[in-house]
Amino acid sequence: MKLTDIVSGEFNASEWEAKGYQLPKFDRSLVAKKTYEEPTWVHFGGGNIFRAFPAAILNDALNTGKYDRGVIVAETFDFEVIDKAYTPYDNLSLLVSLQSTGTIEKKVIASVTEALKADYQFEDWQRLVDIFRKPSLQMISFTITEKGYSVAPADLERGLQPMLAMGKVTALLYERFNVGALPLTVQSMDNCSHNGDKVKAGVFAYAERWVTDGLVPTTFLDYLKDETKVTFPWSMIDKITPRPHQKVQELLAADGFEDNNYIETEKHTFTAPFVNAEEVQYLVIEDKYTNGRPPLDLGGALYTTRETVDKVETMKVTTCLNPLHTAMSLYGCLLGYTLISAEMADDDLRAFIQKIGYMEAMPVVTDPGVLNPYEFIGAVINRRLPNPFMPDAPQRIAMDTSQKLPIRFGETIKKYVDRGLDMDNLILIPLTLAGYARYLKGIKDDGTPFEPSPDPMLEELQAIVAPLEVGKKDQDYSCLKALFSRSDVFGLNLYDAGLGEQIEGMVKELYSSYGAVRSTLHKYVSAR
């Protein structure tokens, strides 16, 4: 059983289906032909999240028979991905959805009709230019990570042949401008807040520099700013897509599926002909298109207003997912866990995050209308985090914690202050922040050392708690004032919010002895 067998037609469909593999229901050759002639969608970033989510929901839309165009993927960073994960399999891939019940769903994704290397050194660049000149093109989208939207001064100086993703996209938009200022929507699908603004800022930086340098006319910038021509909508995307996992590889091999090889590129991209991902997914998109759009709603995407996208994003990052992740990652590291799914079998930790979400953060949530906050948390706690197939670790989630705390907890505390809500309702969120002061020490609850996850402020913050020792009696905790008063770390001065002394008291308990992390956690969770 190989993906290339499906391409050649030399395969037994009943054999695949008997083993639980869902095959495409549409005529792929016809879709590829129509897409080549009149493309509607180019996606930048050929990584695992693209194949597991945007490409997969387009696949579902095509299976309905109500649409007939595929997606063209363009890779701007790691061209080996095209050579090793796309070309050998004629752009097919296998999506393995990891169910919380311990079962898997296997689906062949056939919606990608071309895979191109987005760089001037390759012939593919001319194909991209031709695509951008097509009136049929409706949308370009991105899953290139937040770092992919960066702009470097040296790249701005390269003129009309920049090397970074945003520069290349701007150059292609200039091609579209030159054939009649054709309309287009520039849609980020990256997991970062107000993601459309990040694309817009990157594109404008190049366009403004080129206008200043006399390389393009000012009318090009006018085109980009004209929202009847070009838009940069926001979106909220949520789906965990880990690296290809050995357990999945073994399950596929047992089926007789041969395309289960593991690929690591020279740039350390980890991929495979298959993608493993969680079953739960959300894609909420601002419906602001200038030239029509692919009907991704047929595959489950939600189209709505910018205000609603913002509400969904706020709900996720300040209440229903991200704060719970951070709380359990800090205490998971302290208690010696290496898997999130294993943490969810711990009664104290499970109750800890459940009560943070439902009892402390929920009172300040604005229901976005399109997704129910209670149902969202329910899916997180009951299906997503306990998933035995998801090899996610608290150590990964604990990365860059100092950068996450202002949004994940600071915003909730600010709302309590601004709305005059009872601060006595906040117990486990303060306990989370107290746990951060204990986590920075790099000593587990059993007394063994651990290496805190990478964080740009790690050394600076560790220096603040350096005078503290686990188990030392009658020590001076005055150093905590320098930590919990920092609005750059917590989003506000926690003493001004009336929580500083409460958190200090919790830190004292956590540092009082080895084993105190567990006993303190149990005490406050049980009381709550």
Side-chain angles (χ1 to χ4, degrees):
M1 296 171 64
K2 297 187 292 185
L3 291 171
T4 47
D5 292 340
I6 295 174
V7 176
S8 66
E10 298 176 357
F11 75 106
N12 185 336
S14 60
E15 178 187 5
W16 286 67
E17 291 168 352
K19 293 182 179 180
Y21 289 76
Q22 299 177 33
L23 298 172
K25 298 177 182 178
F26 53 92
D27 185 331
R28 186 166 181 264
S29 61
L30 182 60
V31 168
K33 181 176 184 295
K34 288 186 175 181
T35 305
Y36 188 88
E37 294 170 350
E38 294 186 314
T40 56
W41 179 15
V42 173
H43 182 88
F44 290 89
N48 295 328
I49 183 62
F50 163 68
R51 293 189 293 160
F53 200 177
I57 61 176
L58 178 62
N59 196 81
D60 290 345
L62 289 167
N63 279 337
T64 67
K66 297 177 181 179
Y67 192 58
D68 61 2
R69 308 296 163 85
V71 58
I72 299 164
V73 66
E75 177 58 39
T76 62
F77 171 69
D78 193 340
F79 306 123
E80 254 189 291
V81 169
I82 301 297
D83 291 333
K84 294 184 176 180
Y86 282 88
T87 302
Y89 312 101
D90 197 32
N91 306 321
L92 294 175
S93 62
L94 180 71
L95 170 60
V96 182
S97 295
L98 310 173
Q99 314 288 312
S100 56
T101 58
T103 59
I104 63 174
E105 177 187 88
K106 298 163 287 192
K107 182 185 297 184
V108 175
I109 305 302
S111 57
V112 179
T113 58
E114 291 179 75
L116 306 174
K117 300 174 184 178
D119 196 79
Y120 316 102
Q121 63 181 302
F122 303 112
E123 292 181 3
D124 290 351
W125 183 258
Q126 186 56 50
R127 170 61 181 155
L128 278 169
V129 169
D130 292 342
I131 292 169
F132 269 72
R133 290 172 175 170
K134 296 272 191 180
S136 61
L137 187 63
Q138 298 174 329
M139 174 176 79
I140 61 172
S141 59
F142 306 85
T143 50
I144 56 176
T145 77
E146 189 167 0
K147 295 177 182 177
Y149 302 112
S150 62
V151 175
D155 205 48
L156 290 172
E157 295 173 1
R158 291 181 57 89
L160 298 180
Q161 285 201 338
M163 298 306 295
L164 298 180
M166 289 297 95
K168 294 175 183 178
V169 168
T170 309
L172 290 167
L173 289 170
Y174 185 52
E175 296 285 350
R176 192 164 183 81
F177 166 77
N178 281 332
V179 290
L182 299 173
L184 188 68
T185 291
V186 183
Q187 176 71 69
S188 173
M189 294 182 180
D190 270 301
N191 184 20
C192 50
S193 183
H194 301 172
N195 49 19
D197 289 347
K198 291 178 170 55
V199 187
K200 186 176 182 179
V203 168
F204 279 25
Y206 283 93
E208 288 167 355
R209 176 61 181 267
W210 295 348
V211 168
T212 300
D213 291 349
L215 299 175
V216 301
T218 57
T219 47
F220 174 53
L221 193 55
D222 294 337
Y223 161 71
L224 295 175
K225 292 179 178 180
D226 183 351
E227 292 193 347
T228 68
K229 295 288 189 179
V230 182
T231 54
F232 300 85
W234 294 357
S235 71
M236 189 287 290
I237 188 169
D238 185 19
K239 185 179 181 74
I240 298 174
T241 309
R243 294 174 179 177
H245 197 262
Q246 183 180 353
K247 287 183 180 179
V248 176
Q249 189 179 36
E250 292 168 355
L251 286 168
L252 297 177
D255 281 344
F257 182 78
E258 296 181 33
D259 292 329
N260 57 60
N261 52 303
Y262 189 78
I263 300 166
E264 180 181 357
T265 70
E266 289 185 5
K267 291 186 175 180
H268 304 295
T269 299
F270 299 90
T271 187
F274 66 90
V275 185
N276 44 234
E278 69 170 334
E279 60 182 307
V280 180
Q281 59 187 31
Y282 305 96
L283 180 59
V284 184
I285 304 173
E286 178 188 356
D287 196 358
K288 193 172 185 180
Y289 287 75
T290 59
N291 195 33
R293 55 172 167 76
L296 298 186
D297 47 332
L298 293 176
L302 298 174
Y303 289 100
T304 184
T305 64
R306 171 168 289 203
E307 180 184 13
T308 301
V309 172
D310 193 40
K311 288 178 181 177
V312 172
E313 177 77 23
T314 300
M315 179 189 77
K316 183 187 85 164
V317 303
T318 67
T319 304
C320 296
L321 176 61
N322 297 18
L324 313 188
H325 254 160
T326 292
M328 70 189 307
S329 71
L330 296 175
Y331 278 86
C333 291
L334 288 168
L335 294 173
Y337 282 101
T338 56
L339 283 175
I340 291 295
S341 57
E343 284 192 66
M344 292 301 290
D346 185 310
D347 290 341
D348 287 331
L349 287 170
R350 185 183 180 92
F352 180 42
I353 64 167
Q354 189 167 341
K355 291 178 178 181
I356 286 175
Y358 284 124
M359 299 175 70
E360 299 194 6
M362 193 64 77
V364 298
V365 166
T366 299
D367 187 339
V370 294
L371 291 175
N372 183 288
Y374 289 92
E375 293 177 1
F376 195 105
I377 289 185
V380 169
I381 292 174
N382 298 316
R383 296 168 61 194
R384 303 180 71 179
L385 298 180
N387 193 325
F389 274 123
M390 296 301 292
D392 213 356
Q395 290 75 17
R396 183 193 72 82
I397 295 168
M399 291 175 61
D400 302 327
T401 294
S402 70
Q403 311 299 294
K404 299 171 180 176
L405 293 174
I407 298 297
R408 299 188 177 190
F409 297 100
E411 289 303 309
T412 292
I413 296 171
K414 285 179 186 177
K415 288 175 182 175
Y416 266 79
V417 173
D418 293 343
R419 299 179 188 180
L421 299 178
D422 186 0
M423 302 298 285
D424 289 341
N425 189 51
L426 296 179
I427 297 172
L428 301 183
I429 287 178
L431 183 64
T432 302
L433 305 182
Y436 187 49
R438 178 66 175 76
Y439 165 88
L440 289 169
K441 201 65 186 174
I443 299 174
K444 296 178 188 177
D445 200 27
D446 63 6
T448 58
F450 73 92
E451 187 70 32
S453 300
D455 187 308
M457 299 181 72
L458 182 61
E459 292 184 7
E460 178 184 352
L461 299 179
Q462 282 185 312
I464 294 175
V465 301
L468 301 180
E469 297 180 31
V470 178
K472 182 179 179 181
K473 304 298 181 183
D474 302 321
Q475 60 183 319
D476 182 6
Y477 285 91
S478 61
C479 62
L480 294 175
K481 188 85 173 180
L483 177 63
F484 295 118
S485 61
R486 292 189 58 159
S487 59
D488 60 331
V489 178
F490 300 100
L492 74 172
N493 183 320
L494 292 167
Y495 294 92
D496 292 345
L499 296 175
E501 288 78 10
Q502 176 189 2
I503 297 172
E504 277 190 22
M506 292 173 166
V507 174
K508 292 176 184 178
E509 292 183 65
L510 293 168
Y511 269 90
S512 63
S513 64
Y514 295 113
V517 173
R518 169 65 70 179
S519 61
T520 304
L521 177 66
H522 181 76
K523 167 189 167 182
Y524 285 103
V525 168
S526 299
R528 191 72 177 89

